[in-house]
Each structure stands twice: as C-alpha cells, then as structure tokens.
Amino acid sequence: MYTKKQSIIQMTYKTLLTEYTDGILTVTLNRPKALNALNAQLFTDLRQLFLEDATMLDGLRGVILTGAGGKAFVAGADITEFDGLDAQAAMDLAQRGQDIFFLIERFRVPVIAAVSGYALGGGCELAMACHIRVASERAKFGQPEVNLGLIPGYGGTQRLIQYIGKGRALELLVTADMIDAHKALEWGLVTHVVTHGEEVNAAREILQKIATKAPIAVAKVIETVNAYFDKKQDGFAQEVMKFASMVNTEDFKEGATAFVEKRKAVFTGK
Ligand code: CAA
C-alpha cells in the first residue's frame, strides 16, 4: 500500500519510473530510445528523487537504479546536449552531475546499480556512484569520452581508480575500451554477474538481506567508508566517533540482547 507521499513519487518524473515495495525503491531510468542517456531533465529528476522525495519515504531500506529497455543501463551523458557548450556551461554541467552523483554516494541507505547492457561514460560514472553494482552477463562498462575529444566529467577519473586501480583505470580511460561483465567482476568494478534479466532481482535480494540489519549502523557504515575517500576527513577518527555514537541506539541494545538470548534481533532504526 502506498502512502500519500509514496504515490506522489510515482507521478513526479519525466524520465524515471519508480516502484516502492517492502522498503525497496526501484528506479528505472526511462529514456530507452536514447539508451537512457543522461540529459538535463534526467539529472533534474535524479536530484529531486535523491535530495527530496526518497528521503521522505517511510521505512526506506534501499534503492535500486536500473535502465529501461534492457540494452543499456545508461550510454553516457546525452551527447546531443553538448552542441554549443562553452567552457563555463561545460563546467556547470560537470559540476551539477558530480553534485548529484555525490547525493547518491552519500545517500543514507544503500543504492545498488542493476546494470544490463551498456554502462558507458556518465553511465559507468553513475553506476560507480552507487554503493554496490550488480551486472547482467550482457553488461559492458567503459569511459569512451576520449573518442569524443573529452574526458569524463561526472567523477569517472576519480572513482574508476578506486574500484580497479590506477593502471587498469588509466588504460580504460585512454583507450576508451569497454570491458564485459566478467572482466568487471574480476577487476572489482561489480560484485555479482547474473543471467540477463535477473539483475534487479539479484539487487533486491542483497537489499532484503541488508533490511534485516540495524538501519543506523548501515547508514554509519556508508558515511565512514565514504570518509576514506574524502581528503577533508580522517576516516579512522570518523570510525571511532561513529562507533561510539552507536552505543546509545536502541538497536545496539536490541542486537546485543538478542545475541545473548540466542534469538534474531528485531531492529527499529532507533
Ligand atoms: N547521448 C545521446 N544519444 C545516445 C547516446 C548518448 N550518449 N548513446 C546512444 N544514443 C542514441 C543514439 O544516438 C541512437 O539514437 P537514434 O536511434 O535516434 O539514432 C540510439 O541511442 C541507439 O544508439 P545506437 O544506434 O548508437 O546503438 P548501437 O547499438 O549501434 O550502439 C553504443 C550502442 C555503443 C552505446 C553507442 O550508442 C554509443 O557509442 N553511444 C555513445 C557512448 C558514449 O560515447 N558515451 C559517453 C558520452 S560523454 C559522457 O558521458 C561525458 C561525461 O562523463 C560527462
């Protein structure tokens, strides 16, 4: 049953389809004729969703991002919108994209990219901003911007290194080569490869498992892992502080008590 707020989320977007079931919000990027390329409207919709609407959903435990049509997750930034870009407009475009991808990376519940088909350029960057990536066996990843006389603008040069290391990242970035799902698994860009069409189900299974864990603890794990990559923060110091903040939660008392009583913990997110 949708609450009023949850049914509004169904109506709002021009480029997204949403479905909210059992605490899991599935978001389908819906521009299949353009292989779900990221145009300005799609960014507006993603910003609205991650900055406002999804934060108001009661009981939200995870988000799945996927692409409509089965052929692509996202084939990149919408190249048709590059016409006539000057340096200032390009700077604004890249900054806006990065800011919205940071919203996803810093979102309080896990966001999983369920990737079927192409995840190229901005599409690979979007998948990398998610916390976990599940790929169909038909997925292909790459940063082909040098083919266009460009470099990535939505964090690709930075996050690709985090997942696959500098040597592999540099090679992919300067050759514009694509890698398939199995290579992406071997290199650590994705954590699961599944039969084509099963990627959303596989993502949902992971989120269902996470939904049995303590919500505040899950949120703090995301914050603390992100702190490692934030040059303004000391991740180890953050870990000490956040660890300490957990002991006052009801969920910590419940988790520890349930262990002693040899029963399953029932967490409330308090
Ligand atoms: N932007 C806009 N439209 C795109 C698109 C994109 N990134 N990628 C695909 N499309 C459109 C195509 O123009 C085509 O539209 P029409 O039917 O109207 O002609 C439709 O989607 C289907 O695409 P193709 O006919 O090209 O399909 P294909 O199977 O032959 O090839 C592909 C698939 C290899 C993904 C190819 O479409 C392709 O190379 N796309 C561009 C990939 C790319 O360069 N991405 C990086 C963009 S730049 C970027 O992302 C920068 C950044 O970091 C900020």
Side-chain angles (χ1 to χ4, degrees):
M1 275 282 280
Y2 289 113
T3 68
K4 199 167 171 222
K5 271 180 197 161
Q6 289 156 5
S7 63
I8 289 168
I9 215 172
Q10 296 264 316
M11 319 272 301
T12 315
Y13 311 107
K14 294 200 172 98
T15 64
L16 305 176
L17 303 172
T18 58
E19 189 197 313
Y20 188 51
T21 321
D22 298 333
I24 297 173
L25 177 65
T26 304
V27 180
T28 304
L29 307 162
N30 190 31
R31 300 188 69 221
K33 286 188 186 143
L35 302 187
N36 306 316
L38 302 167
N39 65 356
Q41 182 63 50
L42 208 153
F43 271 118
T44 298
D45 290 347
L46 279 178
R47 184 175 183 281
Q48 172 74 27
L49 184 123
F50 280 101
L51 191 63
E52 311 233 348
D53 299 342
T55 66
M56 293 191 289
L57 285 175
D58 290 334
L60 181 68
R61 300 306 311 273
V63 180
I64 299 170
L65 282 189
T66 194
K71 187 174 167 184
F73 174 65
V74 169
D78 191 318
I79 298 166
T80 64
E81 291 188 347
F82 289 173
D83 194 27
L85 266 193
D86 61 18
Q88 184 59 53
M91 202 179 280
D92 294 345
L93 182 102
Q95 190 62 60
R96 181 166 190 251
Q98 286 196 6
D99 289 347
I100 292 166
F101 286 7
F102 275 128
L103 285 177
I104 297 172
E105 188 169 58
R106 294 169 186 163
F107 202 59
R108 68 184 163 87
V109 300
V111 182
I112 301 187
V115 178
S116 61
Y118 295 109
L120 299 178
C124 188
E125 292 168 299
L126 174 58
M128 291 192 292
C130 296
H131 302 114
I132 298 170
R133 282 147 299 286
V134 173
S136 102
E137 61 206 350
R138 292 192 206 158
K140 286 198 187 322
F141 298 84
Q143 296 287 160
E145 284 87 349
V146 292
N147 286 336
L148 302 168
L150 277 176
I151 71 166
Y154 302 149
T157 60
Q158 305 302 295
R159 290 197 182 93
L160 196 57
I161 297 167
Q162 294 169 15
Y163 292 113
I164 68 175
K166 183 179 172 187
R168 286 167 172 163
L170 256 172
E171 184 173 333
L172 278 193
L173 288 159
V174 298
T175 59
D177 280 351
M178 288 185 217
I179 55 170
D180 66 17
H182 294 288
K183 182 68 82 183
L185 181 67
E186 187 191 325
W187 285 4
L189 185 56
V190 305
T191 47
H192 300 271
V193 177
V194 298
T195 308
H196 186 70
E198 284 301 312
E199 57 283 348
V200 171
N201 287 337
R204 191 173 292 118
E205 268 179 39
I206 295 169
L207 290 176
Q208 280 165 346
K209 186 192 287 184
I210 296 169
T212 66
K213 315 302 174 192
I216 302 172
V218 170
K220 296 292 171 197
V221 166
I222 292 172
E223 286 175 23
T224 314
V225 169
N226 284 340
Y228 176 86
F229 298 100
D230 182 346
K231 293 188 177 69
K232 289 183 232 108
Q233 295 193 56
D234 176 342
F236 284 97
Q238 286 294 319
E239 191 181 87
V240 169
M241 278 193 300
K242 290 186 202 302
F243 176 85
S245 75
M246 300 306 302
V247 300
N248 291 324
T249 64
E250 287 178 21
D251 281 347
F252 167 60
K253 290 181 187 73
E254 165 64 7
T257 307
F259 177 80
V260 172
E261 292 175 357
K262 300 193 186 305
R263 61 173 174 82
K264 258 190 145 182
V266 181
F267 295 115
T268 58
K270 292 181 189 148

